[in-house]
Amino acid sequence: MQQPEECAWLAENLLAIVRDPIMIQGETIRVSGSIGIALYPADGADIPSLLKAADSAMYAAKKSGKNRYRFFSSEMTSRAKERLQVEQGLQQALAQQQLRVFYQPTFSLHDGAIHGFEALLRWQHPQLGLLPSARFISVAEEAGLLTAMELWLLKTVCQQGRQWQQQAGRPLNMAVNLSAATLASATFCQQLAEILQQSQLLKRRVWRWKSMKPRCKRSTSARRG
């Protein structure tokens, strides 16, 4: 195919085929696809270059939503290089203590007093500088590192919350954003209980466990201490 219009037509038809539900042992299965398109010779003079460009376009299509296709553009090259830097650096981020936590205060509308804090995860990348979580969370999840990072975040926030509660002499709410993957982990409830116990953030905890499901329900109360 020589013309972009022909490639787009083919991509649309392929995605339409992929979107069609299929039946497997009486169950309806639905899948989605993402397609990246690179054109010769504009996007590459050889097969490896074209594959690399198409791969970058495919990631762009995947990021923009389900069942989409994207043509390669020169802007994707810089994003692909940054993604590679992020993916390679994530392995060392925890070990070399490059993660940072910033706290955003929340205030009471009644009297204007600080009610608590929301924890914001950041990464002090040695080459790219201070990165917001949006720049590396999806890569961390794909690399299987997100749960470990979020457990570190929970531990850090609970320890800091305990220290601030002692200084303030009253309970403070500590808010942490966690991914669905971490919350769905079969070991998350036990890990959270251990973190709370170690930090002594909560004096009393009541846990209700549901067997055979990777979730737990809890009610907590914090008292001065």
Side-chain angles (χ1 to χ4, degrees):
M1 290 187 177
Q2 299 295 326
Q3 300 300 323
E5 294 80 5
E6 295 177 335
C7 295
W9 176 85
L10 178 59
E12 289 172 355
N13 280 272
L14 287 173
L15 290 174
I17 294 172
V18 171
R19 280 195 299 266
D20 285 342
I22 57 176
M23 296 292 294
I24 299 180
Q25 297 181 351
E27 296 289 336
T28 301
I29 307 298
R30 300 179 185 275
V31 297
S32 61
S34 301
I35 298 176
I37 303 172
L39 300 175
Y40 173 86
D43 301 328
D46 51 40
I47 292 177
S49 298
L50 288 169
L51 287 175
K52 185 177 180 180
D55 192 53
S56 297
M58 184 271 294
Y59 274 111
K62 184 178 180 181
K63 188 175 181 180
S64 63
K66 297 180 179 179
N67 293 310
R68 297 178 184 270
Y69 67 90
R70 288 289 183 271
F71 284 90
F72 175 78
S73 68
S74 57
E75 295 177 356
M76 294 178 183
T77 302
S78 59
R79 289 198 295 266
K81 289 181 179 179
E82 179 180 314
R83 179 185 175 86
L84 182 60
Q85 282 183 293
V86 169
E87 187 172 349
Q88 292 175 340
L90 278 173
Q91 300 286 346
Q92 301 175 345
L94 274 171
Q96 297 184 0
Q97 299 181 345
Q98 295 173 358
L99 296 180
R100 303 286 185 269
V101 183
F102 289 77
Y103 295 93
Q104 181 172 284
T106 58
F107 298 89
S108 170
L109 293 177
H110 176 66
D111 57 9
I114 293 179
H115 187 257
F117 297 88
E118 179 182 2
L120 306 175
L121 183 63
R122 299 291 183 262
W123 178 15
Q124 188 64 55
H125 193 282
Q127 283 81 41
L128 301 176
L130 188 65
L131 301 181
S133 58
R135 295 272 294 276
F136 60 87
I137 286 296
S138 60
V139 181
E141 186 170 9
E142 292 173 5
L145 299 171
L146 184 56
T147 295
M149 294 172 63
E150 291 185 334
L151 288 174
W152 174 88
L153 174 64
L154 269 175
K155 183 177 181 180
T156 302
V157 170
C158 286
Q159 291 173 345
Q160 183 64 74
R162 175 61 174 170
Q163 180 181 341
W164 281 342
Q165 281 192 168
Q166 289 178 327
Q167 294 173 352
R170 59 184 175 86
L172 293 170
N173 292 330
M174 305 298 291
V176 180
N177 295 312
L178 299 176
S179 66
T182 296
L183 293 173
S185 170
T187 59
F188 172 71
C189 291
Q190 182 60 40
Q191 290 169 323
L192 176 59
E194 292 173 357
I195 290 173
L196 290 172
Q197 183 177 12
Q198 292 170 3
S199 67
Q200 297 183 342
L201 176 64
L202 301 179
K203 283 293 186 180
R204 295 186 302 172
R205 299 188 304 276
V206 179
W207 294 82
R208 296 197 300 273
W209 299 84
K210 282 196 172 184
S211 60
M212 305 303 293
K213 291 185 179 181
R215 64 180 67 177
C216 62
K217 290 185 177 181
R218 65 181 177 90
S219 61
T220 61
S221 60
R223 296 191 304 175
R224 183 184 307 176

